Amino acid sequence: MSDSRESMDNSSHTSSAQFDAFSRRHIGPRDTEVAAMLNTLGLASLKDLVDAAVPSNIRLKGQIKTPPAQSEKDALAELRGIAEKNKVFRSFIGQGYYNTVVPAPIQRNILENPGWYTQYTPYQAEISQGRLEALLNFQTMIAELTGLEVANASLLDEGTAAAEAMAMAFSSRRNDAANLFFISDKCFAQTISVVKTRAEPLGIEVVVGDCHKVSFDNKAFGVLLQYPDRDGTVPNYSPVIERAKASGLFTIVAADILALCLIKTPGELGVDIAVGSTQRFGVPVGFGGPHAGYMATRDELKRKMPGRIVGVSKDREGRNAIRLALQTREQHIRREKATSNICTAQVLLAVMAGMYAVYHGPEGLKSIASQVHGKTNALAAGLKKLGYSLKNSTWFDTLTIVGGPKSADQILAAAISRRINFAKADEQSVSVSLDETVTDAELLEILSVFGEATSLNTSELAKATAGLPGDSLRSSPPLKHPIFTRFHSETELMRYIRGLEAKDLSLTSSMIPLGSCTMKLNAASELFPVSWNTFNSIHPFAPKDQTAGYKQMISELERDLSEITGFNAVSLQPNSGSQGEYAGLLVIRKYLRAKGQGHRNVCLIPQSAHGTNPASAVLAGMKVVVTGCDKLGNIDLKDLEAKAAENAGVLAAFMITYPSTHGVFEESIKEICDIIHRHGGQVYMDGANMNAQVGLCRPGDFGPDVCHLNLHKTFSIPHGGGGPGVGPIGVKSHLAPYLPGHPVLEGDAKDAIGPVSAAPFGSASILPIPWMYIRMMGPQGLKRATEVAILNANYIATRLHPHFPVLYRGNRNLVAHECIVDLRQFKATTGVEVEDVAKRLMDYGFHAPTVSFPVPGTLMIEPTESESKAELDRFCDAMISIRKEIDEIAAGKADKKNNCLKNAPHTASMLVNETWDYPYSREKAVFPAAWVKDRKFWPPVARIDNALGDRNLICTCPSVEDYA
């Protein structure tokens, strides 16, 4: 029963918010449901729940001071006013970022479709076949355009992809003494800087220079080239590559994806690794991100490739089925032995880029590339007629102007007066990059910046000599697979996209109760601004006076995140959680070096830590020492104290997740921080579980020095099927000077670490989502969301405990925002393993919780605050029903090997097959509960053979006949 205090809590919440208050729409349980769930827990109010679950010594005494809650309409109006402070000039800056046309059916049916943007990472492949097929298309596109055998399912951006390629080459080098990496001085500035950031902690020496003149020796292990280069030239790299290979170096090119429709492929050039960005394949420029980076390589290097690789295997019925392949090489398996910490991709953006290729097909892409190149030819001819000289004699889409009637500054000023942006290549030269959106009228407008262009005829100029000599052209069509020739009308594409969407379970189908992944509501009002032209058409290197709206929104978001977390400064540059971890550790490293303590290089990490933690520490140049946990899942203080003391002279950092990875608020968090500080180290907090803290406590107040946040978890940026993400870091004041800088920004702090992402503000175009979330929730709504997240988790734990033991609880028998249920006991008695329960949940219409992390044989469940009591009960009922199915096996009523769990998931094709070789009914197989009939999600494939897929790796599209 609820008492007067709960009534006051609820009445206050109701009366302080109008009926259309966003928090009432975001938070799932109604007040009556909250009261009923509290009654199940034996508690009277949410205040009592928080008092019991959250240690009193870390709780806020007052309320966070974020702006008051606004309605959806008012928040959108305020943000639109901010966005309109941006000046949307026509940008021809290039340097890795270009205007593009987002095909309307892709924008409407993918980018703006919750059936695509609310999907989770495809670890449960049987119910992820749609986006896995879309990613397989992406990999096939990359492999065919680069002429290399293997591509991954996207990376974060071009700069970090180049850094990953360097690390991949370093770990594969034949000479262990080789530690020099050569970068062409014609690479993009941001790429050079990101690679340097990644190289320094690994002890890699970076040399930047003229690749055509350098002599390679046995100290070098790799070389990075830009193709076409920064000036726009399409160089003949064959002599450079031959010399590098003769010296045993790995060759890497950062290649323009659209140019590869016309120019020689990296495979034809003989390179080992190709990287780049797929942004110009229908993804808005968006002030720098999110965009899907790519990587492709030779087959023999596939097990060294970072990130996710999608592969084809078979399901139990012998049909082709797609899955994530070769996972044992990834960071979550290899931990401190990993050579990459990448934990996410840019799935939603990779899907868009892949669909762009599917929609346009090989002829369409070649036509787009030819049009861009043709207009560049015309621009070159026009500039020459106006008396200008070009630095480059070959080009695809970029010209660098080095002399003529006007100086570089005069040209730039004349361009600005016409609302046009060019790039300043250096003090004497300007570069202009064209793209698919340029019209003949705009071409004349560009030429008018340089001089009197009214007499010039664009059709005549287009007949000028091409900037691509015959020996620079690719020898094969760009895309040969049939998938790229089938869906060129909007009707066909729409049906294809919708068909793939139907093969995936997303939040549009049911709750996705993944622990530590926080699959909460991604409200439509939060997503609207992402499509606004005033946000998604701004170049990341546009002049500062054109980006005032972005700067204001970013500043306000940094301010609010600082207030919510208690940290003094925030950087929004990291574009994934693992990038945030890495950036936080680099900041600590730089701070220690500034204090003359650069010898400190040991990072203590608990056994229960996320796999990215040890991988990030190693990449940051630290030595990992693992500390133990006690039987309750808490950090073992005695072991921590002993190892901190043992390493006191070299201790750099301690990495802790709070609440713990076991889903518990550890009472000793302040003591843990004190131990580390006493021995000279800094405390890094993994903020993956910030969903349990917002409005209740602030990590900056109770000990951590740096914390990364997952805006794609706690702050409502959608997961997008495995990306995009944003992983900013908050730091205490003593670390603030060392936050990431960027080479293109003027006035960077001299003490800043180098950039960890290619763009100054990472994935800036999705920052309106958390801005809207914080604005609409307000301080009370944010707090209420956290309280309900904790309530929902404890309600599930209480309902499931009689059927599945809850592995860890806090001192008051409560969990935080997630709980771990133990399934290990069933293997010995019934043969049922955690994977069987995960697959059986698909028959009930649910995505499985987190499987076997942090404890093998368990499920980690996080319901979030967005799910109603009815949905929580439906999930609990499914789990309880599965427990009864397990009991049937234990009692001998069901066969130990041939049962509804071992055979799960059950497909429609199994149901209609004339042969039914199972000792249970068809109805039990596919309609295990009455309510399933009303909202059945049909897994498109049966259980997939993972081992077969790894033994016979196929990571490009099979023939269309194979799908049929």
Side-chain angles (χ1 to χ4, degrees):
M1 297 291 291
S2 65
D3 65 7
S4 59
R5 285 177 295 169
E6 179 58 22
S7 298
M8 289 174 63
D9 285 350
N10 287 331
S11 63
S12 172
H13 176 68
T14 304
S15 63
S16 66
Q18 306 211 352
F19 180 74
D20 68 345
F22 175 74
S23 63
R24 289 170 58 84
R25 304 183 190 280
H26 175 82
I27 298 171
R30 304 297 86 195
D31 291 344
T32 54
E33 294 178 328
V34 168
M37 290 191 287
L38 285 166
N39 188 52
T40 300
L41 300 181
L43 294 169
S45 68
L46 286 173
K47 181 180 183 302
D48 289 347
L49 172 65
V50 171
D51 287 345
V54 185
S56 60
N57 66 337
I58 67 169
R59 285 209 305 273
L60 275 171
K61 302 301 185 230
Q63 180 174 276
I64 54 173
K65 296 178 177 63
T66 55
Q70 292 184 317
S71 68
E72 296 174 65
K73 177 184 175 183
D74 289 345
L76 282 167
E78 181 183 348
L79 187 57
R80 187 175 288 280
I82 293 172
E84 287 173 354
K85 295 180 181 179
N86 291 326
K87 299 175 184 177
V88 185
F89 283 23
R90 287 291 281 120
S91 282
F92 304 102
I93 297 172
Q95 302 302 300
Y97 302 95
Y98 307 88
N99 297 308
T100 184
V101 176
V102 184
I106 293 176
Q107 176 169 329
R108 183 175 178 85
N109 295 303
I110 295 178
L111 176 63
E112 297 174 353
N113 180 356
W116 284 92
Y117 65 68
T118 68
Q119 301 161 343
Y120 180 60
T121 305
Y123 290 129
Q124 295 296 334
E126 292 84 356
I127 51 174
S128 306
Q129 288 296 293
R131 103 201 67 137
L132 283 167
E133 182 173 329
L135 290 175
L136 196 65
N137 294 345
F138 175 84
Q139 288 182 177
T140 304
M141 173 188 81
I142 297 301
E144 292 199 12
L145 287 174
T146 61
L148 293 164
E149 294 95 336
V150 183
N152 65 16
S154 86
L155 291 172
L156 298 175
D157 56 37
E158 181 168 328
T160 55
E164 294 284 355
M166 175 194 67
M168 178 178 163
F170 187 58
S171 69
S172 306
R173 68 196 191 280
R174 302 165 185 87
N175 175 10
D176 289 343
N179 73 330
L180 189 146
F181 188 68
F182 185 88
I183 305 179
S184 166
D185 56 7
K186 299 299 183 182
C187 286
F188 295 140
Q190 68 272 18
T191 299
I192 294 173
S193 293
V194 171
V195 172
K196 284 182 174 180
T197 300
R198 186 74 64 90
E200 191 270 334
L202 297 176
I204 296 172
E205 180 185 353
V206 172
V207 174
V208 180
D210 187 338
C211 64
H212 299 285
K213 297 179 180 178
V214 68
S215 297
F216 301 113
D217 57 31
N218 59 7
K219 293 181 181 178
F221 66 88
V223 56
L224 173 66
L225 310 168
Q226 192 82 45
Y227 183 59
D229 70 20
R230 187 179 65 203
D231 294 331
T233 300
V234 183
N236 176 13
Y237 280 134
S238 295
V240 179
I241 292 167
E242 288 171 6
R243 281 189 290 113
K245 284 188 170 295
S247 298
L249 276 69
F250 287 95
T251 52
I252 304 163
V253 295
D256 184 292
I257 196 72
L258 186 61
L260 291 181
C261 296
L262 298 182
I263 65 177
K264 275 186 178 178
T265 68
E268 289 176 297
L269 293 174
V271 305
D272 298 300
I273 307 169
V275 297
S277 170
T278 58
Q279 177 267 314
R280 64 191 312 176
F281 274 20
V283 178
V285 69
F287 207 42
H291 306 140
Y294 75 80
M295 176 183 284
T297 190
R298 294 183 286 107
D299 184 73
E300 54 265 38
L301 292 173
K302 64 185 176 231
R303 293 183 185 275
K304 293 286 189 177
M305 180 176 270
R308 297 170 186 152
I309 298 177
V310 173
V312 181
S313 186
K314 299 284 185 183
D315 76 351
R316 184 167 283 167
E317 297 180 277
R319 293 175 300 178
N320 277 349
I322 314 171
R323 56 180 282 276
L324 294 180
L326 302 180
Q327 288 194 53
T328 54
R329 75 202 154 74
E330 291 190 52
Q331 48 74 23
H332 63 281
I333 302 293
R334 303 197 70 224
R335 300 176 72 83
E336 66 268 20
K337 295 181 181 179
T339 55
S340 169
N341 70 337
I342 190 164
C343 67
T344 190
Q346 298 283 26
V347 170
L348 187 67
L349 299 315
V351 168
M352 289 178 65
M355 283 299 174
Y356 180 92
V358 168
Y359 189 40
H360 288 295
E363 294 305 316
L365 288 183
K366 189 172 181 180
S367 174
I368 291 169
S370 297
Q371 288 178 34
V372 171
H373 181 59
K375 285 188 168 56
T376 311
N377 294 336
L379 178 62
L383 287 169
K384 290 174 182 177
K385 282 181 178 293
L386 292 173
Y388 289 88
S389 301
L390 301 179
K391 186 174 185 178
N392 44 326
S393 58
T394 61
W395 55 78
F396 166 64
D397 66 355
T398 298
L399 303 174
T400 298
I401 299 95
V402 293
K406 294 182 181 179
S407 69
D409 286 339
Q410 288 174 325
I411 292 168
L412 292 172
I416 292 294
S417 70
R418 293 174 180 267
R419 298 180 66 85
I420 290 173
N421 292 325
F422 298 150
K424 188 172 185 179
D426 54 42
E427 290 303 316
Q428 288 79 39
S429 58
V430 169
S431 70
V432 181
S433 295
L434 303 188
D435 56 65
E436 66 168 311
T437 68
V438 178
T439 64
D440 285 346
E442 284 180 321
L443 187 59
L444 284 175
E445 183 80 1
I446 291 169
L447 285 167
S448 296
V449 170
F450 293 87
E452 179 55 56
T454 54
S455 62
L456 300 178
N457 185 303
T458 54
S459 59
E460 287 298 318
L461 294 176
K463 299 175 183 177
T465 304
L468 290 175
D471 60 0
S472 68
L473 300 178
R474 67 179 292 150
S475 60
S476 61
L479 296 173
K480 291 175 284 189
H481 194 276
I483 198 69
F484 301 109
T485 60
R486 297 181 66 197
F487 307 109
H488 294 166
S489 75
E490 181 169 340
T491 302
E492 291 171 322
L493 185 72
M494 175 184 67
R495 288 172 181 161
Y496 180 56
I497 292 172
R498 180 65 186 91
L500 294 185
E501 180 191 341
K503 295 179 181 180
D504 274 20
L505 190 146
S506 69
L507 283 176
T508 63
S509 303
S510 66
M511 69 183 287
I512 301 180
L514 285 143
S516 281
C517 292
T518 317
M519 297 291 292
K520 65 165 68 178
L521 170 71
N522 314 122
S525 55
E526 297 161 3
L527 274 290
F528 275 144
V530 174
S531 295
W532 291 350
N533 183 54
T534 42
F535 277 136
N536 69 25
S537 296
I538 306 296
H539 194 284
F541 305 148
K544 288 183 178 182
D545 64 355
Q546 296 174 24
T547 62
Y550 256 119
K551 297 300 173 59
Q552 180 179 339
M553 182 197 66
I554 287 169
S555 176
E556 291 178 359
L557 183 56
E558 289 174 344
R559 177 203 65 199
D560 291 344
L561 292 175
S562 292
E563 170 62 22
I564 288 167
T565 61
F567 289 101
N568 302 99
V570 169
S571 170
L572 292 167
Q573 189 183 112
N575 53 4
S576 76
S578 64
Q579 291 287 73
E581 287 178 9
Y582 179 66
L585 293 174
L586 288 187
V587 166
I588 290 173
R589 187 173 185 269
K590 188 76 178 284
Y591 163 74
L592 291 173
R593 289 192 162 201
K595 289 182 63 181
Q597 297 182 11
H599 60 281
R600 291 185 174 273
N601 68 342
V602 167
C603 185
L604 302 181
I605 301 179
Q607 288 173 333
S608 61
H610 292 106
T612 52
N613 286 182
S616 294
V618 169
L619 292 182
M622 296 183 182
K623 176 184 175 183
V624 172
V625 174
V626 178
T627 67
C629 295
D630 63 23
K631 62 182 180 180
L632 298 176
N634 297 317
I635 289 169
D636 186 328
L637 287 182
K638 289 185 179 179
D639 188 50
L640 178 65
E641 177 75 66
K643 286 176 178 169
E646 180 183 342
N647 293 281
V650 290
L651 179 61
F654 175 65
M655 302 184 78
I656 183 171
T657 301
Y658 198 78
S660 75
T661 311
H662 293 136
V664 175
F665 283 101
E666 298 193 44
E667 300 277 343
S668 58
I669 180 62
K670 282 193 168 185
E671 186 178 351
I672 289 168
C673 294
D674 289 343
I675 290 171
I676 301 304
H677 290 148
R678 193 167 63 247
H679 291 96
Q682 297 284 293
V683 177
Y684 161 90
M685 194 191 96
D686 186 317
N689 294 339
M690 194 68 199
N691 204 42
Q693 296 185 67
V694 176
L696 300 181
C697 56
R698 307 194 309 173
D701 294 342
F702 57 74
D705 301 285
V706 57
C707 169
H708 99 264
L709 303 170
N710 295 99
L711 300 193
H712 49 289
K713 295 181 181 180
T714 301
F715 296 93
S716 275
I717 292 176
H719 284 60
V726 180
I729 55 172
V731 297
K732 300 296 284 183
S733 58
H734 64 284
L735 297 177
Y738 309 101
L739 288 172
H742 196 278
V744 183
L745 290 180
E746 295 177 12
D748 274 344
K750 62 181 177 64
D751 296 322
I753 64 169
V756 294
S757 300
F761 297 99
S763 294
S765 69
I766 54 175
L767 295 179
I769 301 170
W771 188 97
M772 285 288 294
Y773 175 71
I774 293 169
R775 263 305 189 281
M776 294 188 297
M777 291 294 281
Q780 293 174 327
L782 290 169
K783 179 183 178 183
R784 177 81 172 195
T786 306
E787 292 170 340
V788 174
I790 295 172
L791 172 65
N792 284 0
N794 279 282
Y795 178 70
I796 283 182
T798 300
R799 280 210 62 194
L800 293 186
H801 183 65
H803 311 278
F804 302 93
V806 175
L807 197 54
Y808 300 112
R809 294 178 185 266
N811 289 344
R812 298 170 183 84
N813 209 33
L814 294 169
V815 298
H817 64 309
E818 59 193 9
C819 62
I820 298 174
V821 296
D822 195 352
L823 279 69
R824 291 173 295 182
Q825 68 273 26
F826 300 124
K827 183 175 181 179
T829 57
T830 66
V832 171
E833 300 184 58
V834 65
E835 182 183 22
D836 301 319
V837 175
K839 304 307 180 188
R840 182 58 171 159
L841 274 168
M842 297 176 189
D843 291 327
Y844 287 83
F846 283 105
H847 195 292
T850 303
V851 175
S852 288
F853 178 81
V855 181
T858 66
L859 292 175
M860 182 161 61
I861 305 167
E862 180 180 356
T864 84
E865 71 274 12
S866 296
E867 301 299 341
S868 67
K869 180 177 180 295
E871 185 71 356
L872 303 182
D873 283 331
R874 197 170 71 90
F875 173 75
C876 290
D877 290 345
M879 288 292 293
I880 292 167
S881 178
I882 289 172
R883 174 57 200 265
K884 291 176 181 176
E885 293 171 348
I886 295 172
D887 290 341
E888 290 174 359
I889 301 170
K893 296 178 181 178
D895 186 82
K896 201 169 184 178
K897 294 183 179 180
N898 188 5
N899 58 66
C900 56
L901 282 99
K902 288 292 182 183
N903 296 326
H906 298 84
T907 64
S909 64
M910 293 168 68
L911 179 68
V912 300
N913 197 314
E914 291 183 7
T915 303
W916 183 260
D917 294 327
Y918 308 108
Y920 47 89
S921 71
R922 296 175 196 254
E923 183 173 24
K924 181 169 185 172
V926 301
F927 297 123
W931 44 261
V932 176
K933 296 179 181 178
D934 296 328
R935 49 190 299 183
K936 177 66 180 177
F937 177 87
W938 290 99
V941 296
R943 197 175 301 196
I944 297 173
D945 188 334
N946 292 324
L948 174 67
D950 280 353
R951 288 195 305 270
N952 305 279
L953 183 66
I954 302 171
C955 55
T956 55
C957 294
S959 69
V960 174
E961 290 73 22
D962 284 347
Y963 283 122

